[in-house]
Amino acid sequence: MAATPSLSKLRAGVIGTGFIGPVHIEALRRLGVQLKALCDVPDRVRSAADRLGVPQAFGDYRELLRSPDVDVVHITAPNRFHAEMSLAALKAGKHVVCEKPLAMNTRETAAVVKAARRAGAVFAVNYNVRFYPAVLQLRRAVASGELGEIIHVNGSYFQDWLFKDTDYNWRLLPAEGGKLRAVADIGTHWMDTVSFILGAKITTVFADLRTFHQTRKRPLGEVETFAKSSSKVKYASYKVATEDFASVLLEFANNARGNLAVSQVAAGRKNCIRIEIYGSKKSAWWCSEEPETLHFGQRDGANEVAVRATPAFGDGAAGFMDYPPGHVEGFPDTFKMNFRNIYATVASGGESEPLFATVEDGHREVAVCEAIMRSSQRQKWTLVEPFR
């Protein structure tokens, strides 16, 4: 699809060149957005900029923020830097796309919300799962009443990239990634997506967090996300302080109930998101490992399988699909469609409908995580604290 002229006039700078930074860059290029600047640690940013074809390379994010050639800043650095970089970007007059979580705690996220409101900037948190066509269609089906009153929601987000005790990444360390790991890293994607589909926030939680590998082996040297372990690497043992898997019961503002299972030690599951929505008329379910299909369940009739971009699927994703049925749109496309919505909002001065996760959504997800931690510690239902 040709780049929208208004989007092609916008200029982006990306902070971070690990796993997710290049994903942002690829999606932006597919939209026709101009990639003007890249930032990472000084000893690797120049080679990364050359490899990715970005003209300006900065070893300090503050230098990137001072660039007059950047309209929108993408923050893909480790979690502990998100609040600091977000506040600095807003102060510099930039629009912001921040990787989740928005920050390490609600004290930080509340400060970012206030700054974003004061700045009047477009601020998005990258919950890209919203932009699978099936998710957008499920949202339409719920809003239109096609499924009836929502009774309950079931699902999971499973991965196996931390299955072995030698698997390592900075996300395992509370100081870098936060006190929650599996739930905050991938569980929040599921919770944000379901809240988006239902049009209802999570109000109360009951959580059980568990750590299978009480001790892991850390390689003597840094490891990128999803990198494979090697027999030649030397390791040092350390105690694990974050969860490998979790079970969470949920209550939503519309009185629906939900249950979520999260795991990063589920052998064979590379990146499996499963969402099942049960309504008073019929049910619907979807799995990211088969992103093109929606399933509908009936009590008194045949169950149905609908393929993306066909009449049976529905038109809830109109404007966020570029290829005909049978030409799979998956993980990379969710970033492109998310950024299409974000950049259209920037280009229109805020007039486009913001389907993306806002700064307030990012704050809410961190509040949910804090409630989940309290619930697991107390082993009781816990209220998600209201917005501050």
Side-chain angles (χ1 to χ4, degrees), residues 194-210:
V194 171
S195 292
F196 175 69
I197 291 170
L198 298 185
K201 302 299 184 183
I202 296 167
T203 59
T204 319
V205 298
F206 193 118
D208 180 56
L209 308 176
R210 297 292 167 174

PDB file of all heavy atoms in Angstrom, residues 194-210:
ATOM      1  N   VAL A 194      -7.779  -7.691  25.774  1.00  0.00           N
ATOM      2  CA  VAL A 194      -9.133  -8.083  26.176  1.00  0.00           C
ATOM      3  C   VAL A 194      -9.921  -6.874  26.673  1.00  0.00           C
ATOM      4  O   VAL A 194     -11.113  -6.726  26.360  1.00  0.00           O
ATOM      5  CB  VAL A 194      -9.074  -9.205  27.228  1.00  0.00           C
ATOM      6  CG1 VAL A 194     -10.453  -9.467  27.821  1.00  0.00           C
ATOM      7  CG2 VAL A 194      -8.539 -10.489  26.601  1.00  0.00           C
ATOM      8  N   SER A 195      -9.282  -5.988  27.425  1.00  0.00           N
ATOM      9  CA  SER A 195      -9.965  -4.760  27.850  1.00  0.00           C
ATOM     10  C   SER A 195     -10.386  -3.935  26.642  1.00  0.00           C
ATOM     11  O   SER A 195     -11.479  -3.344  26.618  1.00  0.00           O
ATOM     12  CB  SER A 195      -9.050  -3.927  28.755  1.00  0.00           C
ATOM     13  OG  SER A 195      -8.821  -4.571  29.986  1.00  0.00           O
ATOM     14  N   PHE A 196      -9.523  -3.890  25.626  1.00  0.00           N
ATOM     15  CA  PHE A 196      -9.819  -3.178  24.384  1.00  0.00           C
ATOM     16  C   PHE A 196     -11.004  -3.818  23.663  1.00  0.00           C
ATOM     17  O   PHE A 196     -11.915  -3.117  23.193  1.00  0.00           O
ATOM     18  CB  PHE A 196      -8.571  -3.212  23.510  1.00  0.00           C
ATOM     19  CG  PHE A 196      -8.728  -2.631  22.132  1.00  0.00           C
ATOM     20  CD1 PHE A 196      -8.922  -1.273  21.951  1.00  0.00           C
ATOM     21  CD2 PHE A 196      -8.625  -3.448  21.012  1.00  0.00           C
ATOM     22  CE1 PHE A 196      -9.038  -0.730  20.674  1.00  0.00           C
ATOM     23  CE2 PHE A 196      -8.742  -2.911  19.732  1.00  0.00           C
ATOM     24  CZ  PHE A 196      -8.953  -1.548  19.565  1.00  0.00           C
ATOM     25  N   ILE A 197     -11.026  -5.133  23.587  1.00  0.00           N
ATOM     26  CA  ILE A 197     -12.132  -5.842  22.929  1.00  0.00           C
ATOM     27  C   ILE A 197     -13.441  -5.605  23.661  1.00  0.00           C
ATOM     28  O   ILE A 197     -14.478  -5.321  23.045  1.00  0.00           O
ATOM     29  CB  ILE A 197     -11.820  -7.355  22.847  1.00  0.00           C
ATOM     30  CG1 ILE A 197     -10.669  -7.625  21.863  1.00  0.00           C
ATOM     31  CG2 ILE A 197     -13.064  -8.142  22.436  1.00  0.00           C
ATOM     32  CD1 ILE A 197     -10.144  -9.047  21.918  1.00  0.00           C
ATOM     33  N   LEU A 198     -13.410  -5.721  24.977  1.00  0.00           N
ATOM     34  CA  LEU A 198     -14.635  -5.616  25.771  1.00  0.00           C
ATOM     35  C   LEU A 198     -15.081  -4.166  25.955  1.00  0.00           C
ATOM     36  O   LEU A 198     -16.252  -3.918  26.278  1.00  0.00           O
ATOM     37  CB  LEU A 198     -14.431  -6.245  27.151  1.00  0.00           C
ATOM     38  CG  LEU A 198     -14.105  -7.737  27.210  1.00  0.00           C
ATOM     39  CD1 LEU A 198     -14.066  -8.199  28.654  1.00  0.00           C
ATOM     40  CD2 LEU A 198     -15.096  -8.558  26.407  1.00  0.00           C
ATOM     41  N   GLY A 199     -14.151  -3.217  25.783  1.00  0.00           N
ATOM     42  CA  GLY A 199     -14.478  -1.832  26.115  1.00  0.00           C
ATOM     43  C   GLY A 199     -14.690  -1.653  27.597  1.00  0.00           C
ATOM     44  O   GLY A 199     -15.473  -0.806  28.042  1.00  0.00           O
ATOM     45  N   ALA A 200     -13.981  -2.462  28.404  1.00  0.00           N
ATOM     46  CA  ALA A 200     -14.151  -2.445  29.859  1.00  0.00           C
ATOM     47  C   ALA A 200     -12.811  -2.691  30.542  1.00  0.00           C
ATOM     48  O   ALA A 200     -12.062  -3.588  30.136  1.00  0.00           O
ATOM     49  CB  ALA A 200     -15.159  -3.507  30.296  1.00  0.00           C
ATOM     50  N   LYS A 201     -12.516  -1.914  31.558  1.00  0.00           N
ATOM     51  CA  LYS A 201     -11.253  -2.037  32.276  1.00  0.00           C
ATOM     52  C   LYS A 201     -11.312  -3.168  33.311  1.00  0.00           C
ATOM     53  O   LYS A 201     -12.383  -3.562  33.764  1.00  0.00           O
ATOM     54  CB  LYS A 201     -10.918  -0.719  32.986  1.00  0.00           C
ATOM     55  CG  LYS A 201     -10.831   0.485  32.066  1.00  0.00           C
ATOM     56  CD  LYS A 201      -9.732   0.322  31.021  1.00  0.00           C
ATOM     57  CE  LYS A 201      -9.585   1.568  30.176  1.00  0.00           C
ATOM     58  NZ  LYS A 201      -8.576   1.396  29.104  1.00  0.00           N
ATOM     59  N   ILE A 202     -10.140  -3.650  33.690  1.00  0.00           N
ATOM     60  CA  ILE A 202     -10.020  -4.623  34.778  1.00  0.00           C
ATOM     61  C   ILE A 202     -10.133  -3.882  36.096  1.00  0.00           C
ATOM     62  O   ILE A 202      -9.442  -2.883  36.326  1.00  0.00           O
ATOM     63  CB  ILE A 202      -8.677  -5.369  34.689  1.00  0.00           C
ATOM     64  CG1 ILE A 202      -8.611  -6.193  33.400  1.00  0.00           C
ATOM     65  CG2 ILE A 202      -8.473  -6.269  35.912  1.00  0.00           C
ATOM     66  CD1 ILE A 202      -7.220  -6.706  33.068  1.00  0.00           C
ATOM     67  N   THR A 203     -11.003  -4.354  36.987  1.00  0.00           N
ATOM     68  CA  THR A 203     -11.241  -3.666  38.258  1.00  0.00           C
ATOM     69  C   THR A 203     -10.666  -4.397  39.464  1.00  0.00           C
ATOM     70  O   THR A 203     -10.254  -3.765  40.433  1.00  0.00           O
ATOM     71  CB  THR A 203     -12.742  -3.467  38.485  1.00  0.00           C
ATOM     72  OG1 THR A 203     -13.401  -4.747  38.482  1.00  0.00           O
ATOM     73  CG2 THR A 203     -13.338  -2.590  37.384  1.00  0.00           C
ATOM     74  N   THR A 204     -10.657  -5.745  39.407  1.00  0.00           N
ATOM     75  CA  THR A 204     -10.235  -6.541  40.555  1.00  0.00           C
ATOM     76  C   THR A 204      -9.512  -7.780  40.054  1.00  0.00           C
ATOM     77  O   THR A 204      -9.865  -8.330  39.004  1.00  0.00           O
ATOM     78  CB  THR A 204     -11.443  -6.974  41.415  1.00  0.00           C
ATOM     79  OG1 THR A 204     -12.362  -5.889  41.532  1.00  0.00           O
ATOM     80  CG2 THR A 204     -11.015  -7.403  42.803  1.00  0.00           C
ATOM     81  N   VAL A 205      -8.509  -8.241  40.822  1.00  0.00           N
ATOM     82  CA  VAL A 205      -7.707  -9.396  40.390  1.00  0.00           C
ATOM     83  C   VAL A 205      -7.451 -10.348  41.558  1.00  0.00           C
ATOM     84  O   VAL A 205      -7.458  -9.943  42.720  1.00  0.00           O
ATOM     85  CB  VAL A 205      -6.349  -8.954  39.795  1.00  0.00           C
ATOM     86  CG1 VAL A 205      -6.542  -8.093  38.557  1.00  0.00           C
ATOM     87  CG2 VAL A 205      -5.506  -8.201  40.832  1.00  0.00           C
ATOM     88  N   PHE A 206      -7.236 -11.610  41.202  1.00  0.00           N
ATOM     89  CA  PHE A 206      -6.767 -12.617  42.156  1.00  0.00           C
ATOM     90  C   PHE A 206      -5.657 -13.384  41.450  1.00  0.00           C
ATOM     91  O   PHE A 206      -5.908 -14.046  40.449  1.00  0.00           O
ATOM     92  CB  PHE A 206      -7.894 -13.562  42.573  1.00  0.00           C
ATOM     93  CG  PHE A 206      -7.559 -14.413  43.771  1.00  0.00           C
ATOM     94  CD1 PHE A 206      -8.289 -14.304  44.945  1.00  0.00           C
ATOM     95  CD2 PHE A 206      -6.511 -15.325  43.735  1.00  0.00           C
ATOM     96  CE1 PHE A 206      -8.001 -15.088  46.055  1.00  0.00           C
ATOM     97  CE2 PHE A 206      -6.202 -16.111  44.840  1.00  0.00           C
ATOM     98  CZ  PHE A 206      -6.949 -15.993  46.009  1.00  0.00           C
ATOM     99  N   ALA A 207      -4.424 -13.293  41.964  1.00  0.00           N
ATOM    100  CA  ALA A 207      -3.268 -13.785  41.212  1.00  0.00           C
ATOM    101  C   ALA A 207      -2.433 -14.784  42.003  1.00  0.00           C
ATOM    102  O   ALA A 207      -2.300 -14.695  43.233  1.00  0.00           O
ATOM    103  CB  ALA A 207      -2.383 -12.610  40.800  1.00  0.00           C
ATOM    104  N   ASP A 208      -1.860 -15.712  41.263  1.00  0.00           N
ATOM    105  CA  ASP A 208      -0.892 -16.668  41.805  1.00  0.00           C
ATOM    106  C   ASP A 208       0.342 -16.624  40.909  1.00  0.00           C
ATOM    107  O   ASP A 208       0.269 -16.972  39.723  1.00  0.00           O
ATOM    108  CB  ASP A 208      -1.487 -18.081  41.830  1.00  0.00           C
ATOM    109  CG  ASP A 208      -0.512 -19.103  42.396  1.00  0.00           C
ATOM    110  OD1 ASP A 208      -0.051 -18.907  43.536  1.00  0.00           O
ATOM    111  OD2 ASP A 208      -0.215 -20.089  41.697  1.00  0.00           O
ATOM    112  N   LEU A 209       1.477 -16.190  41.448  1.00  0.00           N
ATOM    113  CA  LEU A 209       2.727 -16.066  40.699  1.00  0.00           C
ATOM    114  C   LEU A 209       3.691 -17.145  41.160  1.00  0.00           C
ATOM    115  O   LEU A 209       3.867 -17.361  42.360  1.00  0.00           O
ATOM    116  CB  LEU A 209       3.354 -14.686  40.929  1.00  0.00           C
ATOM    117  CG  LEU A 209       2.459 -13.460  40.704  1.00  0.00           C
ATOM    118  CD1 LEU A 209       3.209 -12.189  41.072  1.00  0.00           C
ATOM    119  CD2 LEU A 209       1.980 -13.398  39.262  1.00  0.00           C
ATOM    120  N   ARG A 210       4.356 -17.792  40.191  1.00  0.00           N
ATOM    121  CA  ARG A 210       5.260 -18.883  40.547  1.00  0.00           C
ATOM    122  C   ARG A 210       6.563 -18.807  39.750  1.00  0.00           C
ATOM    123  O   ARG A 210       6.567 -18.404  38.584  1.00  0.00           O
ATOM    124  CB  ARG A 210       4.588 -20.240  40.284  1.00  0.00           C
ATOM    125  CG  ARG A 210       3.344 -20.491  41.117  1.00  0.00           C
ATOM    126  CD  ARG A 210       3.668 -20.651  42.593  1.00  0.00           C
ATOM    127  NE  ARG A 210       2.460 -20.579  43.419  1.00  0.00           N
ATOM    128  CZ  ARG A 210       2.443 -20.810  44.727  1.00  0.00           C
ATOM    129  NH1 ARG A 210       3.578 -21.129  45.345  1.00  0.00           N
ATOM    130  NH2 ARG A 210       1.328 -20.693  45.403  1.00  0.00           N
TER     131      ARG A 210
END
